[in-house]
């Protein structure tokens, strides 16, 4: 790794700081006056030679005394040191024609990187990232490692500390960090999300508030996807407070049974009958009404309750299947999304097997829905083993959001995928857009060659439904058919739907 380059940059910074230190500059008038008073040209010569040495030693020795304020792994400043620097910038320059910008940088999906590389490889990545950050900023800027895979940069005072500068610096940092990394005879790719805060937009004019605002912006960037950049605004602070309140309420919500699945029907394009339901989590909040997952999943994750959420969803989904069976409704299967975190649980298969036995259901009644991005990034052995084991158990495997994650045909085969769910981005306006039709037709032709079933998500119009049936898609789901429903409304909906469908056509040869 490029550690000598880092040390050289740090050495240059110490030298530059040494020449502007007030305590060393204070000696200059006294030395000059002494030389003039005694009329000693020799003394003036000695002063001219020794003064730079005094400055040099002052700066370097100060650097040694500041070791406790540096991050031991990367050599960057720690949070305390950065806060002192930012406080100095705000006190001496803010409102006097110059200002600063604070940026917070976090490596995306770093838990997966760390799991794949181990502790030694992880430390190498963290050190190299620090080197790249230092290489991307100016000599007057300051960088720090805040915690784990989170870094910060404070820009040295500039006259035009505006949004454009913040975006330009963020893009430069992202470009430097995302360069391929050669490690252990392989190549690692790392991306970063960045949030920044202009001094004039901070909630208060102090370093703590400004850095916290940049962290809030960075959290917003992470919610937008990998490699995003966001600038802090006052509205973000309000949103963070709302999410924090939800985090405080989430445990009680589980205890009170407020978090449960709602069910969206899936319809066969051949018969019009229900081919299954997909279970989608909802929070029936006592004050805010029914909340979609995008409003509270971060709160679940922050509370460390993803595993409990999976247990709740599996229990209530299989309960629904059992109740539909007892009530005489034919629902062939139910689809349940399994997150990457759940799939990394080595006890997952045993848990699913036990729950199926508990409800006396065969494994083929449960469809395991896995995002295409999870299958495409199959570096985790536990994830691979769990998906394959669930398929071997007899569960169907749906590849969700197909077309967004670049899963290879090899991985589709290796994971035992039974059906692909065509993403809504391909389905929207398929009845009106010829290019969309050709794309969907190509996906369906590939699925037929691979003997895979197909389902299209996000159907919103009768025209889209009809076109997908004409192209040969096996099943469809979306708001154009029905929105997600609480369990109590599913049977009434099936009664109404069956009355509209009537007697479905018989597909294939009649049995004698």
């Amino acid at each position: 790794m490029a550690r000598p380059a880092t040390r050289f940059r740090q050495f240059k910074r110490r030298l530059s700081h040494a020449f502007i230190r007030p305590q060393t500059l204070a000696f200059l008038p006294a030395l000059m006056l002494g030389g003039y008073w005694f009329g000693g040209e020799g003394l003036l010569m000695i002063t001219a030679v020794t003064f730079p040495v005094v400055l040099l030693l002052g700066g370097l020795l100060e650097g040694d005394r500041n070791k406790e304020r540096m991050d031991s792994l990367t050599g960057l400043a720690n949070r305390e040191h950065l806060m002192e620097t930012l406080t100095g910038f705000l006190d001496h320059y803010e409102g006097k024609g110059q200002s600063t910008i604070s940026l917070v940088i976090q490596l995306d999906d770093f838990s997966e990187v760390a799991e794949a590389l181990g502790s030694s490889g992880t430390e190498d990545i963290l050190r190299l990232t620090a080197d790249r950050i230092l290489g991307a900023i100016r000599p007057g800027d300051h960088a720090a490692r805040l915690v784990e895979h989170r870094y910060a940069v404070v820009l040295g005072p500039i006259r035009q500390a505006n949004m454009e500068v913040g975006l330009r610096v963020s893009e430069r940092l992202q470009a430097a960090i995302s360069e391929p990394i050669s490690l252990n005879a392989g190549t690692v790719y790392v991306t970063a999300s960045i949030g920044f805060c202009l001094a004039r937009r901070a909630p208060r004019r102090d370093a703590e508030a400004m850095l916290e605002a940049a962290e809030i912006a960075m959290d917003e960037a992470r919610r937008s996807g990998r490699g995003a950049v966001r600038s802090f605004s006052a509205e973000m602070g309000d949103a963070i407070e709302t999410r924090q309140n939800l985090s405080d309420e989430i445990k009680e919500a589980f205890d009170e049974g407020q978090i449960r699945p709602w069910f969206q029907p899936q319809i066969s394009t051949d018969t019009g009958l229900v081919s299954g339901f997909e279970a989608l989590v909802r929070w029936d909040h006592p004050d805010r009404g029914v909340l979609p997952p995008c409003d509270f999943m971060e709160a679940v994750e922050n509370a460390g309750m993803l595993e409990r959420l999976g247990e709740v969803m599996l229990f209530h989904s299989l309960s629904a299947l059992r109740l539909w069976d007892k009530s005489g409704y034919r629902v062939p299967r139910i689809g349940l999304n399994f997150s990457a975190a759940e799939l990394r649980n080595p006890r997952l298969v045993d848990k699913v097997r036990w729950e199926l036995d508990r409800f006396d259901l065969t494994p083929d009644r449960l469809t395991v829905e896995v995002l295409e991005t999870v299958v495409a990034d199959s570096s985790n052995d536990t994830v691979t083993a769990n998906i394959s084991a669930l398929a071997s158990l007899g569960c169907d495997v749906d590849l969700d959001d197909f077309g967004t994650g670049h899963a290879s045909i090899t991985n589709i085969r290796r994971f035992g995928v039974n059906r692909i769910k065509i993403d809504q981005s391909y389905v929207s306006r398929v009845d009106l857009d010829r290019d969309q039709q050709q794309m969907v037709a190509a996906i369906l032709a590939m699925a037929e060659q691979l003997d895979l079933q197909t389902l299209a998500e996000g159907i919103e119009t009768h025209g889209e439904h009809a076109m997908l049936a004409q192209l040969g898609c096996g099943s469809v789901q979306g708001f154009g058919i029905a929105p997600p429903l609480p369990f109590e409304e599913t049977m009434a909906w099936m009664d109404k739907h069956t009355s509209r469908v009537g007697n479905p056509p018989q597909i294939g040869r009649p049995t004698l």
Side-chain angles (χ1 to χ4, degrees):
M1 311 309 285
R3 303 310 299 159
T6 304
R7 297 192 192 97
F8 181 67
R9 281 193 291 268
Q10 291 170 346
F11 184 76
K12 287 199 303 182
R13 286 173 184 269
R14 288 182 181 179
L15 286 179
S16 64
H17 292 166
F19 280 92
I20 59 172
R21 295 185 59 76
Q23 57 265 49
T24 50
L25 291 174
F27 284 97
L28 183 58
L31 290 170
M32 294 298 100
L33 179 60
Y36 174 78
W37 181 265
F38 293 105
E41 296 179 358
L43 181 58
L44 289 174
M45 291 292 293
I46 292 172
T47 302
V49 172
T50 58
F51 180 65
V53 177
V54 173
L55 292 177
L56 191 84
L57 291 175
L60 295 179
L61 290 174
E62 180 67 19
D64 290 334
R65 288 194 295 271
N66 284 340
K67 280 184 178 179
E68 67 274 11
R69 298 192 298 166
M70 310 300 287
D71 176 61
S72 59
L73 177 65
T74 64
L76 298 180
N78 61 18
R79 188 185 188 101
E80 178 187 0
H81 193 175
L82 188 77
M83 296 298 289
E84 292 178 5
T85 302
L86 181 54
T87 297
F89 287 169
L90 293 174
D91 289 345
H92 293 98
Y93 299 100
E94 187 64 27
K96 300 175 184 177
Q98 292 182 306
S99 187
T100 184
I101 300 174
S102 62
L103 302 96
V104 172
I105 307 150
Q106 180 157 317
L107 303 184
D108 297 320
D109 302 329
F110 197 71
S111 59
E112 299 176 13
V113 175
E115 188 173 353
L117 296 179
S119 59
S120 177
T122 300
E123 290 181 356
D124 286 341
I125 296 295
L126 293 174
R127 281 192 290 263
L128 182 58
T129 299
D131 293 346
R132 291 179 170 182
I133 289 173
L134 284 176
I137 61 179
R138 305 170 306 163
D141 301 334
H142 291 260
R145 179 177 177 227
L146 300 180
V147 62
E148 295 182 345
H149 54 289
R150 181 175 291 193
Y151 303 83
V153 169
V154 170
L155 299 189
I158 51 178
R159 295 192 179 279
Q160 296 294 326
N162 53 31
M163 187 80 68
E164 182 181 353
V165 171
L167 289 171
R168 191 164 63 244
V169 173
S170 298
E171 291 169 357
R172 189 164 68 241
L173 288 165
Q174 286 182 324
I177 292 170
S178 63
E179 286 290 322
I181 300 170
S182 296
L183 187 66
N184 298 333
T187 303
V188 180
Y189 296 91
V190 178
T191 61
S193 297
I194 299 180
F196 66 88
C197 178
L198 309 180
R200 65 175 182 272
R201 288 195 173 187
R204 301 183 310 277
R205 191 186 164 190
D206 63 66
E208 190 69 37
M210 190 171 172
L211 193 61
E212 286 181 358
E215 290 183 298
I216 289 173
M218 188 276 299
D219 289 334
E220 286 294 317
R222 287 176 54 225
R223 274 185 286 275
S224 302
R226 296 165 61 97
V229 176
R230 291 292 183 271
S231 174
F232 175 79
S233 63
E235 291 77 12
M236 285 184 182
D238 297 337
I240 291 294
E241 183 177 358
T242 299
R243 281 192 290 270
Q244 184 59 52
N245 291 337
L246 289 178
S247 296
D248 296 338
E249 299 171 18
I250 199 74
K251 186 178 183 301
E252 182 180 356
F254 276 108
D255 293 340
E256 297 295 328
Q258 297 169 5
I259 296 180
R260 302 171 67 94
W262 282 31
F263 304 95
Q264 187 170 36
Q266 300 166 340
I267 304 300
S268 167
T269 57
D270 288 335
T271 65
L273 297 178
V274 172
S275 58
F277 278 86
E278 180 180 4
L280 300 164
V281 66
R282 295 292 186 271
W283 181 355
D284 190 4
H285 194 280
D287 299 321
R288 300 179 58 193
V290 178
L291 302 179
C294 60
D295 284 355
F296 64 87
M297 281 303 295
E298 183 181 4
V300 174
E301 185 175 358
N302 290 341
M305 306 190 76
L306 281 175
E307 187 172 353
R308 184 171 181 184
L309 174 62
E311 293 171 353
V312 167
M313 292 294 289
L314 181 61
F315 173 81
H316 285 294
S317 297
L318 298 184
S319 295
L321 262 183
R322 195 66 179 148
L323 288 171
W324 287 325
D325 288 349
K326 289 182 177 180
S327 301
Y329 293 91
R330 185 178 182 277
V331 178
R333 57 187 178 181
I334 192 161
L336 191 61
N337 291 279
F338 284 77
S339 68
E342 290 178 273
L343 291 169
R344 287 194 292 268
N345 182 355
R347 299 181 292 108
L348 176 63
V349 178
D350 291 335
K351 185 184 300 184
V352 170
R353 183 187 292 110
W354 189 88
E355 289 289 353
L356 287 167
D357 291 342
R358 176 183 182 181
F359 287 98
D360 194 25
L361 294 168
T362 56
D364 62 299
R365 303 291 301 280
L366 175 64
T367 296
V368 177
E369 297 195 8
V370 182
L371 287 172
E372 187 186 7
T373 50
V374 174
V375 172
D377 181 20
S378 56
S379 57
N380 188 290
D381 292 338
T382 304
V383 172
T384 303
N386 274 336
I387 297 175
S388 300
L390 288 169
S392 299
L393 181 65
C395 299
D396 286 340
V397 178
D398 275 8
L399 191 59
D400 202 4
D401 293 346
F402 183 79
T404 63
H406 312 295
S408 68
I409 293 176
T410 301
N411 278 342
I412 290 175
R413 286 300 191 201
R414 183 156 64 96
F415 286 105
V417 172
N418 303 97
R419 181 169 67 174
I420 57 175
K421 297 184 71 174
I422 304 172
D423 186 69
Q424 183 179 9
S425 60
Y426 294 96
V427 171
S428 178
R429 297 175 59 83
V430 70
D431 54 325
L432 304 173
D433 189 327
R434 181 63 178 168
D435 291 338
Q436 290 283 75
Q437 293 170 22
Q438 292 175 342
M439 184 66 73
V440 172
I443 293 172
L444 295 173
M446 181 204 71
E448 183 177 6
Q449 291 297 315
L450 297 176
D451 196 25
L452 296 173
Q453 300 176 45
T454 53
L455 182 148
E457 302 178 280
I459 304 298
E460 295 187 353
T461 67
H462 293 299
E464 291 170 354
H465 186 171
M467 177 56 68
L468 287 159
Q470 183 179 338
L471 291 172
C473 186
S475 296
V476 290
Q477 81 178 79
F479 278 73
I481 296 164
L485 304 165
F487 175 79
E488 296 76 16
E489 297 180 17
T490 56
M491 289 183 277
W493 182 88
M494 283 190 280
D495 288 337
K496 185 176 180 180
H497 178 74
T498 301
S499 66
R500 288 200 307 266
V501 172
N503 293 322
Q506 296 295 318
I507 306 299
R509 294 182 179 180
T511 56
L512 298 177

